[in-house]
């Protein structure tokens, strides 16, 4: 049974729902330390994040007997490390859901990230800001603009009170404010915040970094909505070039390893993009959006379309998704032949196809 029995709850202890903080009536029987107000919220949390972290919560939410101060110190250190791991893991999972357009699923994971941050850093730390921004973006995706504004106000207030806010955090804050004003169709204010996003991201990571590219991408989307297609095209091209350079650098390393007869397939137990799951989802979202723009443009530029296709090929190849990589490679090859583009371009795509085919012929066992 999942139902909580009132007599079993210690006097004075209030059990709250993990999702909405309403009085809890149910408990997860797997971990027995997580509570819910309803079956709906229990299922939502399980689908989003709880299944992945269920057993990890037990040592964090139960008291254990200690026999001396050394044991207590060691246990406290382990809890601290575990909580830091869960902060990062829940944040990445929530980000991935957002990039995949699964805004409802992102909420519980983002809430977990926020609560772990509060437990570790306190209620007014600037470390809470990334989680507030996740919740704001999820709210925007669900059409809950007022709720998004509340989360963003909390994030802004926390940043204002802080004396050690990083450029990366400022960048995230302005990006989410830009997304808010895009949702409200206030494009002038959105452009202001996205320009600030690009500035702070450039200070933190450099102007040509993939972490800066999101600001350029959202700014391009604004110009697209305003029918300023030349400006949109310029920015989409810049974003494509940033991702192409990043992925091509990794691709060259893989190619050199193969040429040097290193047992590449035996070493690739994980993907070779150098990205976490959320960044991979972001890359897919950005590059497929740009591809759609290229393919639907009235003045089609086949070379620019092929460039985006090659970037997607490298992305999926390094993610070890051979079927998708091959799909985009065949699409690029067909376009190059139909448009009678440069022979070298055709050779480059053929090379990519050969690598993909070799990997399919020698799957990892």
């Amino acid at each position: 049974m999942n139902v909580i029995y009132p007599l079993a709850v210690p006097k004075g202890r209030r059990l709250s729902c993990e999702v909405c903080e309403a009085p809890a009536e149910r408990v997860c029987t797997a971990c027995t330390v997580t509570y819910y107000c309803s079956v709906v919220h229990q299922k939502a949390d399980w689908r989003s994040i709880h299944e992945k972290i269920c057993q990890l919560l037990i040592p964090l939410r139960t008291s254990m007997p200690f026999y001396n101060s050394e044991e207590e110190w060691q246990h406290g250190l382990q809890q601290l490390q575990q909580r830091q791991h869960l902060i990062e893991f829940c944040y990445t999972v929530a980000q991935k859901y957002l990039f995949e357009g699964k805004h409802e699923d992102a909420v519980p994971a983002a809430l977990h990230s926020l609560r772990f941050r509060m437990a570790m850093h306190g209620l007014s730390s600037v470390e809470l800001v990334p989680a507030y921004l996740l919740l704001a973006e999820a709210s925007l995706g669900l059409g809950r603009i007022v709720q998004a504004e509340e989360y963003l106000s909390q994030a802004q207030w926390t940043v204002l009170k802080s004396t050690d806010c990083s450029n990366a955090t400022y960048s995230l804050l302005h990006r989410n404010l830009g997304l808010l004003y895009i949702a409200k169709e206030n494009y002038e204010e959105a452009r202001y915040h996205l320009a600030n996003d690009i500035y702070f991201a450039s200070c933190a990571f450099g102007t040509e970094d993939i972490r800066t590219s999101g600001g350029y991408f959202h700014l391009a989307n604004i110009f697209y909505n305003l029918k300023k297609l030349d400006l949109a095209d310029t920015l989409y091209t810049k974003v494509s070039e940033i991702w192409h350079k990043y992925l091509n650098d990794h691709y060259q390393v893989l190619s050199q390893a193969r040429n040097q007869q290193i047992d590449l397939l035996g070493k690739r137990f994980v993907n070779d993009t150098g990205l976490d799951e959320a960044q991979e989802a972001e890359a897919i979202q950005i590059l497929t959006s740009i591809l759609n723009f290229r393919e639907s443009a009235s003045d089609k530029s086949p070379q620019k379309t092929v460039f985006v296709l090659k970037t997607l090929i490298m992305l999926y190849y390094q993610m070890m998704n051979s079927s998708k990589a091959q799909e985009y490679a065949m699409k690029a090859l067909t376009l190059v032949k139909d448009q009678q583009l440069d022979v070298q371009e055709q050779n480059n795509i053929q090379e990519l196809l050969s690598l993909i085919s070799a990997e399919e012929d020698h799957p990892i066992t």
Side-chain angles (χ1 to χ4, degrees), residues 77-327:
L77 181 61
Q78 288 173 359
Q79 281 198 328
L80 188 68
Q81 292 169 340
Q82 184 76 288
R83 192 167 278 121
Q84 182 61 46
H85 167 72
L86 286 171
I87 285 172
E88 294 168 1
F89 180 72
C90 294
Y91 182 81
T92 299
V93 169
Q95 266 194 320
K96 182 173 185 284
Y97 283 137
L98 290 176
F99 288 127
E100 292 173 344
K102 300 175 181 177
H103 301 99
E104 196 79 59
D105 288 339
V107 173
L111 284 171
H112 274 287
S113 180
L114 178 61
R115 292 192 187 113
F116 288 133
R117 289 167 189 268
M118 286 177 170
M120 190 166 180
H121 301 290
L123 298 179
S124 58
S125 170
V126 73
E127 294 294 333
L128 308 186
V129 172
Y132 284 134
L133 297 179
L134 285 179
L135 289 163
E137 190 171 346
S139 299
L140 281 177
L142 294 167
R144 301 168 187 165
I145 290 181
V146 173
Q147 190 176 51
E149 288 179 312
E150 289 174 1
Y151 283 126
L152 283 168
S153 294
Q154 188 66 52
Q156 281 183 294
W157 177 240
T158 304
V159 166
L160 281 172
K161 290 188 296 180
S162 172
T163 56
D164 60 349
C165 187
S166 67
N167 285 325
T169 300
Y170 277 120
S171 165
L172 284 176
L173 176 60
H174 282 289
R175 185 169 304 180
N176 278 269
L177 286 166
L179 293 175
L180 170 67
Y181 285 108
I182 288 174
K184 297 171 77 169
E185 297 186 3
N186 184 341
Y187 295 126
E188 184 175 347
E189 196 69 20
R191 283 163 61 184
Y192 165 78
H193 285 293
L194 290 173
N196 276 283
D197 163 26
I198 293 167
Y199 169 75
F200 286 113
S202 297
C203 291
F205 312 115
T207 57
E208 307 300 314
D209 193 276
I210 57 172
R211 289 164 291 189
T212 307
S213 70
Y216 295 125
F217 174 70
H218 293 300
L219 196 55
N221 290 340
I222 290 176
F223 288 126
Y224 178 79
N225 291 333
L226 293 172
K227 309 300 181 188
K228 296 181 178 180
L229 300 185
D230 287 346
L231 290 172
D233 178 88
T234 300
L235 287 168
Y236 284 139
T237 298
K238 184 172 185 63
V239 174
S240 302
E241 289 171 347
I242 289 172
W243 278 100
H244 185 275
K245 183 181 185 307
Y246 176 86
L247 292 165
N248 189 56
D249 288 345
H250 283 266
Y251 167 71
Q252 294 302 329
V253 171
L254 297 182
S255 299
Q256 288 169 16
R258 190 179 293 275
N259 292 337
Q260 292 166 7
Q261 297 182 331
I262 293 175
D263 184 12
L264 182 62
L265 296 176
K267 292 182 181 292
R268 290 187 65 199
F269 296 110
V270 294
N271 71 62
D272 290 290
T273 61
L275 307 171
D276 62 31
E277 288 187 351
Q279 290 172 314
E280 288 177 350
E282 179 185 21
I284 292 168
Q285 181 214 32
I286 286 176
L287 292 170
T288 53
S289 295
I290 295 174
L291 179 62
N292 291 336
F293 168 77
R294 295 286 176 222
E295 292 180 331
S296 63
S298 55
D299 54 339
K300 289 181 173 58
S301 175
Q303 287 181 320
K304 290 180 179 179
T305 305
V306 169
F307 187 81
V308 180
L309 285 168
K310 286 197 299 182
T311 310
L312 279 161
I313 296 164
M314 289 189 291
L315 173 64
Y316 279 112
Y317 170 68
Q318 292 169 49
M319 286 174 63
M320 297 174 66
N321 188 336
S322 296
S323 61
K324 290 295 290 185
Q326 194 164 47
E327 175 190 329

